[in-house]
Amino acid sequence: MLVEIPEIFNAQEARAMREQLEQAEWVDGRVTAGHRSVLVKHNRQLAEDHPLARELGARIIERLSANNLFMSAALPEKIFPPLFNRYEAGESFGYHIDNAIRPIKGTQGRVRTDLSMTLFLSEPGDYEGGELVVQDTYGTRQVKLPAGSAVLYPGTSLHKVNPVARGARISSFFWVQSLLREDSERALMLQLDVAIQRLMHDVPGHESLEELTGVYHNLLRKWADV
């Protein structure tokens, strides 16, 4: 299941974040790559413990916690502190699958990477190339969203970032440990939640609402990994 989440930040907010990141010191992106992905990763990254990464990361998590689509699609148990990367001319990240478990630097915490997420901070017209390519259940998808919008997809997916030919692609990327391990279960729960919300809007007094809401919570109770 690949879900696009529009306007987590508006264009002005995304531009302000991008301008802050433009002034930061970037390091080789391979510092967080696994044994295989290090061979195909060519970009730069803000250090995990950089104060700006922590500041902007906290802002992202706060905004996501208030985003109904993200909460419904991800059913988050834990969110890895957001990281930030930058691709310029000739830089790319070849096909890879993210590590299953990510330790949180400086802590004893770990996150199981059920879901991967990219928050775009550069406008599509600011760079050429740089599409996120995900081999989804329904085929290969290319994603390049407006600044402030994000895409959520299974951590099990083979994916890459196409080479950037012009300009700079700046984004945040991170992972989510979901209450539900299985993508098929998350997809069903999202479909059911959307249907309930639509029914609440269209016929708010419908007698089936309580029953459907009960089905939702009973499925969550059955499947949740807590």
Side-chain angles (χ1 to χ4, degrees):
M1 176 180 65
L2 186 151
V3 179
E4 294 182 6
I5 305 176
E7 295 185 344
I8 295 172
F9 295 93
N10 62 38
Q12 184 177 357
E13 291 172 324
R15 182 171 62 251
M17 295 170 71
R18 186 171 67 248
E19 288 173 351
Q20 286 182 277
L21 290 165
E22 289 278 8
Q23 305 303 314
E25 182 178 351
W26 298 84
V27 300
D28 192 325
R30 289 175 291 184
V31 296
T32 57
H35 294 299
R36 294 296 301 168
S37 59
V38 71
L39 302 176
V40 294
K41 187 175 186 180
H42 305 284
N43 67 2
R44 280 168 290 165
Q45 192 168 302
L46 200 61
E48 289 184 68
D49 54 0
H50 194 290
L52 183 59
R54 291 176 175 172
E55 175 192 337
L56 297 182
R59 195 183 306 172
I60 290 169
I61 291 176
E62 180 181 18
R63 191 63 63 89
L64 287 175
S65 298
N67 186 286
N68 290 335
L69 179 54
F70 170 78
M71 296 299 291
S72 183
L75 292 169
E77 169 70 11
K78 300 178 186 176
I79 301 176
F80 191 90
L83 302 174
F84 298 85
N85 59 18
R86 178 188 184 101
Y87 294 82
E88 292 191 70
E91 294 181 322
S92 64
F93 196 168
Y95 270 125
H96 64 285
I97 291 178
D98 295 331
N99 291 353
I101 306 294
R102 302 287 309 200
I104 301 174
K105 189 172 183 178
T107 77
Q108 297 299 311
R110 297 181 297 175
V111 172
R112 188 183 66 239
T113 58
D114 298 323
L115 292 157
S116 299
M117 191 163 190
T118 296
L119 170 65
F120 292 82
L121 295 173
S122 296
E123 295 291 358
D126 291 345
Y127 60 101
E128 183 180 339
E131 298 87 359
L132 174 65
V133 181
V134 181
Q135 291 192 4
D136 186 35
T137 308
Y138 301 103
T140 301
R141 305 272 298 275
Q142 291 198 43
V143 185
K144 188 173 182 178
L145 300 178
S149 296
V151 61
L152 184 71
Y153 58 97
T156 54
S157 301
L158 196 63
H159 59 284
K160 68 175 181 175
V161 175
N162 281 337
V164 170
R166 173 189 59 81
R169 175 197 191 267
I170 296 176
S171 63
S172 177
F173 66 102
F174 49 97
W175 300 272
V176 179
Q177 179 173 321
S178 177
L179 291 168
L180 305 184
R181 288 175 181 256
E182 296 296 326
D183 182 58
S184 60
E185 293 172 355
R186 292 191 299 269
L188 283 172
M189 295 298 283
L190 176 60
Q191 184 179 13
L192 180 56
D193 192 22
V194 169
I196 291 171
Q197 297 303 319
R198 186 180 299 121
L199 189 59
M200 288 179 65
H201 178 269
D202 293 345
V203 280
H206 199 285
E207 59 184 12
S208 295
L209 277 170
E210 288 298 328
E211 183 177 359
L212 288 173
T213 301
V215 169
Y216 178 92
H217 286 287
N218 284 333
L219 286 174
L220 186 59
R221 185 178 292 110
K222 177 182 176 65
W223 289 337
D225 183 17
V226 295

